[in-house]
Each structure stands twice: as structure tokens, then as C-alpha cells.
Amino acid sequence: MNKYVAIACLLFTHSTVVLADDREWSVFGGNNLHQRHSPLTQITPDNIQNLAPAWQFNTGNKATFQATPIVRSGVMYVSLPFNDVVALSAKSGELIWRYQHDRIESREMCCGPANRGVAVTDDHVFMGTVDGRLIALDVNTGKKAWDKDVTQGDSGIQEDVASLAGGTEGEVSGTSGVGLNMAPMVYNGNVIIGITGVGYGLHLDSPDPDAPLGAVVGIAGKYGRRGFLAAYDVETGEQRWQFDTIPEQGWEGDYLATTPDGELLPRDIEAEKASAEQYADAWRYGGGSAWSTPAIDHDTDTLFFGTGNPSPQMEGSSRPGDNLYTSSLVALDANTGKIKWHFQQVPHDMWGYDVASPPVLFDVHQDGKTVAAVGQAGKTGWFYVINRETGKLLFKSDAYVPQQNLFQPPSEAGTVIYPGVLGGSNWSPVALDAKRRQVYIAGIHWPVNYSLHQLPEKHGKAGLKYSSMAPLDTDERYGLLSAINLDTGNLVWQHKTPNPLLGGVLSTDSGLVFSGEGSGELFALDAASGDKVWSGSSEAGVNAPPISYEVDGKQYIAVVSGGNKLFGYKSGDAIKVWSLP
């Protein structure tokens, strides 16, 4: 018997078994429901002013840092930018081992150097890499156990779309490359992970290297590839199943005129149907990255994960139809990869509204009934609550960020839209407190200008038409950390921050909510009121999800601090940990 299971059998609180593992942080989402809620209560709103730095480890890799640390048996495992991994004493920060990744330099990275975490078992540490590999390390030594090339370096690019750079301002990036950014999930002897970058399209970098992204560009054409989520044997790396996020048959869907929650979409359905034969192979380049670590219902063996935007990004003329299963929450059989249902938040997505924030599992209480639900914080600015068994929408929340011109098309003059391609809520995980009946969401208010462009005629050929979505350089951009009632979807409170929030949230049983800012601040709010009760500082942006764990009876708060280049937040290389004296 596992020693933690044996201990857990002896621990009871209010007749509820408290698993010892919950006092650490053994999986990406903190517990099997992925609620990122810690049962620890040593740090409270009354004593948090005494919270002080416990230890800090500097990795030497100064770059965008997004990882969730995993803590098991007193050891902290952290994946670093460019896929190094460190194992540290969770009590002192002392280095136990370090794996240095032998990246295939010839492969283009799709989405920067960041990795969102590892999965850890009694024997292995698993990690997806920016160069398209799934790697298993020995948990005790960090030595490589096996190395699976998941993508074979295939970006699926079919056209020289980078030629757009000749007619625009700013360097083009994101034109190719497929990687693995999510933290894997281990279930029933399989390690499950998906690929990213397949619907990435083009980014125009800002001339200022310290400034945020210049623009996201959409061009019609045959480039990109379809994404997938797959399961691999934990001992050998052999693939067990694969779910393609774009089906070869039926990817067109039903040509829906609205979103499933009734929002009107600006689609010319007849024109799309008329062009369907011309673009019959659009599924080959269809996109649908798998950005978010799955949540798994252990009672029903159902896996839930979000998919990215279709490819080409934003430009829909060369991909008629609903573009299934992009911009969707998808439910699969966790043991076979067979689809159970999908909920497509935005059919024929033209705004980059990926389902990027990881799903969370909980029960909804309505009309005297309890319904098993899955929730997801959308880039659209709503928290969607879906029946876990049927895939039907139960309700969506109040908007947790301002909304203007949502689902409007681009224009030559430019259409100001918010939320835009940045979200809403981006990849940031939510935290959920089932006792207080609240979910906490890190939100972004950052207006974008959605424009149509025409390049000049060249060598007698008509210039390329394309669309762009550029974040506006305005003082009206900020973050909102929102508390939303789980049973009604109503806003309970909001806390405004100077910087758009990107990273994630942690809640604790003592009534605290933690999140970080690009300015370098980790802050704590009172869960009841949303009032700020503490803040700690870092030299770089705190743009990763915080965690809490216990070692030898002491509670710690930990977060990685390395900023985010896409948002213009300062880079760094720190793993920072706080505790009470």
C-alpha cells in the first residue's frame, strides 16, 4: 500500500477523508478535479501579513516562465523554459538533480520557450517539449528513460506565408513549428498530451523587443496542420490512442448561424456551402491545438480538454463550415480516446477564441438537484458551465471582463473589439472553492483593432488581402480577478489590477485567493470580499499559477517568476517560495 494512502485512511475531518497528497501538489490542477484549491489553513487572512520569503532558486534560464511546480514526497519538480527540469527540496530549495534538454535546434518553436509543467509518478517525470517530443525521466536521478518524437518536426506549412513580411511593418514570427506546451496528465498507465502551434498563423513582432505583441495576422491558404491529443504507455512511450481535433469526415459541422449560447455570428452560410467543394481538403490544415492540460472524471473515465482556433487563424474564407472540433471543449473516453461529446464555443472562429484555460470539474446545485458539471473560462469573457454527462450548456456566467463588438468582423477602418485574441481569460487556470461556491478567474481587458488590409499590386499580380488584430496601445488595459457564484453564474466581486492578468489562480480553505501580475507582484485577496490582504514582490513578471503545499507541518506558497514576452512582462529565472516564520 502507498504510504500516503495508508496515512489518508487515518485522517478524518468532519467525517471527510483528507488525502495526504492534497497537502502537497501532486498533479497540475492540485487535485483530481483540477480545482487548484488547497485544503491547507495555516496561512489565513489574519496572519498573512507575517508571510515572508522562505527560499528562492534561480534557474539560469531567463525567459517566459509558465510552469506549475509539482510537489510529491517533499520534492518539487519544475520544468524550465526550453525544457530543462529541476528537482528541488520543497523545504529548502536545495538542488537534487537537473536534466538539461538536448533541443533539436533546427526545429522552429511555435509558441516561445515556455512549458506549463510536468507530470510525476512514483517512477517517472514526464514532460512535453518545445521541439515536439514527449520525454520520461527517472524520478530519482533525472536521467532520461525514454524519448518519443511526437510531431516528427512536421509543421504542415504548405505555402510561403512569411512573404507577407515584405509588405508589413514588423518581423514575422509564428509561421511554423509544432510543439508540446501543456503539462501532461497520467491516467491508467498512460501519459496524455497534445500538440500546439497547428493554428498559430502569423505574429508580427513589435519593433521594441520589450514591448507586447505587435499584431496577429490571418491569411487564407493551405498552411498549418490538424492537432491531436494522444496517450502513450508510461513505461515504453508507445502510442495507445490518438484523437484528431479535426475529423476527416464531418469537419464542416452544421453551418451554425449562432454560438450554442445564442450569439449571432457574421457568417455568409450560403457562400460557405458554395465553396465547400473547392476547399474539401481544408481539414488537413485545420488547426485545433491542444493547449490545456485535461481534467479527468475518475468515476466515468471521461477526459475533458480544450481545443485551439482553426487554421488559418481569423481568416475563414478557405475553411468553410464550423471547423469541428476547434474552439471547443471536448469530452473523450480517457482509456480509448473516443469522443463522447463536444461543445463548440465559437463555430467557424474568426477571432482566435481558443478554449485555452484548463477545464475544472465540480457539482452544480440547482432547483434542489446536484448536477456533475465541467466549467471553462472562455476567451470570450464568460465562464461556461456544462453538463458533464451530456455536453449541454447549463448556463454561462455574467461577463467577467468588458465586452464590445463581440463576434464582429474586421473592417478597413478597423473595428475595436474586446475581448480580442488575448482574451477574456487566456491560458490561465482558474481556482474553485466548492465550499464557498465560488470560482476565481484571472481576466484580461485589452482592446484590439480588427482590420482588413490590401497589399499593393506586385509584378502585375493583385496584392494579398489579409486581416490583422492588433492590441491597442491604450491606458484602458488592465486585469480583473473575478469571483463568480458556481450555482448562478453571478459575479460576487472583482479586483482590478494595473496589468492584464496572465498566469492563474490559487485558493485555500482558509479563505485566501492568490494570483500574480506582470509587474512582479504575487498578491492575496480575501475570498469573501476580494480585498487585497498581502503582496510579495519578484524581480520579474509573476505570470504562472501559484501553488500551496505542506512539508513537516509548515505551509508554503510557491510560484515561478519569469515574465511573459508576448505581453511585454519582464523576463526572469526565479522559483520563489513564501511561508510563515
Side-chain angles (χ1 to χ4, degrees):
M1 178 181 291
N2 181 291
K3 68 176 180 179
Y4 290 110
V5 176
I7 294 171
C9 292
L10 302 176
L11 296 177
F12 290 84
T13 303
H14 303 299
S15 301
T16 300
V17 175
V18 179
L19 295 178
D21 280 333
D22 286 349
R23 296 186 173 273
E24 297 192 300
W25 198 275
S26 58
V27 294
F28 174 78
N31 58 27
N32 288 339
L33 301 176
H34 274 209
Q35 293 176 348
R36 289 189 172 263
H37 179 81
S38 171
L40 301 177
T41 57
Q42 189 177 94
I43 301 168
T44 71
D46 293 330
N47 65 22
I48 195 170
Q49 288 302 325
N50 298 322
L51 202 63
W55 57 264
Q56 177 171 324
F57 181 86
N58 292 91
T59 70
N61 292 14
K62 287 191 175 183
T64 299
F65 207 176
Q66 299 176 353
T68 292
I70 298 297
V71 178
R72 280 175 56 105
S73 303
V75 179
M76 177 183 288
Y77 304 88
V78 186
S79 56
L80 311 183
F82 300 104
N83 298 121
D84 285 7
V85 180
V86 292
L88 311 170
S89 164
K91 185 176 181 178
S92 67
E94 181 182 358
L95 180 65
I96 299 170
W97 56 253
R98 180 168 185 150
Y99 163 78
Q100 291 187 298
H101 183 55
D102 53 340
R103 183 161 65 96
I104 302 173
E105 299 285 348
S106 59
R107 292 187 180 179
E108 295 286 338
M109 293 189 301
C110 78
C111 324
N115 177 273
R116 294 185 183 151
V118 296
V120 183
T121 66
D122 290 342
D123 300 315
H124 295 115
V125 177
F126 301 98
M127 173 183 60
T129 73
V130 294
D131 53 343
R133 293 145 65 189
L134 178 61
I135 290 175
L137 306 176
D138 183 282
V139 73
N140 296 312
T141 66
K143 302 295 184 185
K144 193 184 294 184
W146 51 258
D147 184 340
K148 175 75 172 180
D149 195 344
V150 170
T151 67
Q152 305 296 322
D154 176 20
S155 66
I157 300 298
Q158 301 298 314
E159 293 183 354
D160 183 17
V161 292
S163 62
L164 176 64
T168 60
E169 296 181 2
E171 293 296 319
V172 173
S173 68
T175 57
S176 63
V178 177
L180 288 76
N181 291 83
M182 71 162 66
M185 177 59 56
V186 174
Y187 188 71
N188 283 356
N190 290 325
V191 55
I192 301 166
I193 199 164
I195 65 171
T196 51
V198 295
Y200 202 63
L202 292 168
H203 281 182
L204 298 183
D205 293 336
S206 170
D208 180 355
D210 296 321
L213 171 72
V216 177
V217 174
I219 316 168
K222 295 182 178 181
Y223 65 93
R225 60 176 280 183
R226 61 177 174 171
F228 64 81
L229 187 84
Y232 302 86
D233 184 274
V234 294
E235 298 299 333
T236 66
E238 179 185 352
Q239 189 182 98
R240 294 302 188 192
W241 56 256
Q242 177 173 315
F243 173 78
D244 294 317
T245 54
I246 310 291
E248 185 173 344
Q249 301 293 328
W251 58 272
E252 304 92 342
D254 296 323
Y255 291 88
L256 298 173
T258 69
T259 66
D261 47 308
E263 301 292 330
L264 186 65
L265 297 170
R267 297 178 65 176
D268 186 338
I269 300 296
E270 293 308 312
E272 286 184 40
K273 288 181 177 180
S275 65
E277 186 175 348
Q278 178 184 355
Y279 297 109
D281 63 345
W283 61 271
R284 296 181 183 275
Y285 323 104
S289 292
W291 287 108
S292 59
T293 297
I296 300 176
D297 185 332
H298 289 216
D299 292 332
T300 64
D301 289 333
T302 305
L303 176 153
F304 306 90
F305 80 107
T307 62
N309 56 265
S311 178
Q313 181 163 317
M314 302 191 308
E315 175 52 58
S317 62
S318 61
R319 49 172 174 84
D322 296 341
N323 314 135
L324 299 179
Y325 298 103
T326 62
S327 301
S328 298
L329 186 67
V330 180
L332 306 178
D333 183 308
N335 296 314
T336 66
K338 301 296 183 184
I339 189 167
K340 292 189 174 183
W341 54 256
H342 78 280
F343 178 86
Q344 190 172 34
Q345 287 180 14
V346 186
H348 195 72
D349 179 13
M350 297 189 296
W351 300 271
Y353 286 149
D354 313 65
V355 178
S357 179
V360 59
L361 307 182
F362 59 101
D363 289 336
V364 168
H365 302 151
Q366 288 186 327
D367 301 324
K369 297 179 180 179
T370 298
V371 180
V374 54
Q376 198 276 328
K379 274 190 172 183
T380 57
W382 290 298
F383 183 69
Y384 298 88
V385 179
I386 298 163
N387 185 304
R388 221 185 291 174
E389 180 180 353
T390 66
K392 301 300 182 184
L393 181 69
L394 295 172
F395 60 87
K396 66 180 184 184
S397 73
D398 294 338
Y400 52 77
V401 292
Q403 294 172 326
Q404 175 179 295
N405 290 328
L406 206 63
F407 305 122
Q408 291 303 304
S411 64
E412 292 184 3
T415 302
V416 176
I417 292 176
Y418 45 85
V421 68
L422 301 174
S425 187
N426 205 284
W427 63 269
S428 307
V430 305
L432 189 147
D433 187 334
K435 293 179 183 177
R436 292 179 175 83
R437 308 305 299 158
Q438 291 181 164
V439 61
Y440 308 103
I441 301 172
I444 296 167
H445 175 61
W446 196 333
V448 298
N449 197 42
Y450 197 12
S451 306
L452 286 172
H453 304 269
Q454 172 79 58
L455 291 183
E457 181 180 309
K458 210 172 196 180
H459 306 302
K461 292 185 178 180
L464 182 68
K465 293 181 179 180
Y466 68 98
S467 59
S468 71
M469 193 176 279
L472 294 178
D473 186 12
T474 170
D475 291 335
E476 276 302 304
R477 63 188 191 203
Y478 50 80
L480 286 167
L481 202 159
S482 303
I484 290 174
N485 184 280
L486 289 177
D487 302 312
T488 66
N490 295 335
L491 276 169
V492 180
W493 52 254
Q494 289 190 299
H495 172 78
K496 187 176 180 179
T497 62
N499 298 293
L501 289 174
L502 184 76
V505 193
L506 161 73
S507 60
T508 72
D509 249 13
S510 62
L512 291 168
V513 180
F514 292 85
S515 193
E517 277 207 74
S519 62
E521 180 186 41
L522 178 71
F523 62 87
L525 309 180
D526 186 297
S529 64
D531 295 334
K532 184 188 286 189
V533 293
W534 175 84
S535 67
S537 64
S538 178
E539 299 78 15
V542 179
N543 304 119
I547 68 164
S548 186
Y549 63 92
E550 182 182 281
V551 178
D552 293 341
K554 181 182 282 288
Q555 183 183 358
Y556 297 85
I557 304 294
V559 73
V560 306
S561 171
N564 186 284
K565 184 179 185 300
L566 196 66
F567 277 60
Y569 296 148
K570 184 180 178 182
S571 295
D573 69 342
I575 301 168
K576 300 184 72 75
V577 181
W578 290 262
S579 66
L580 295 174

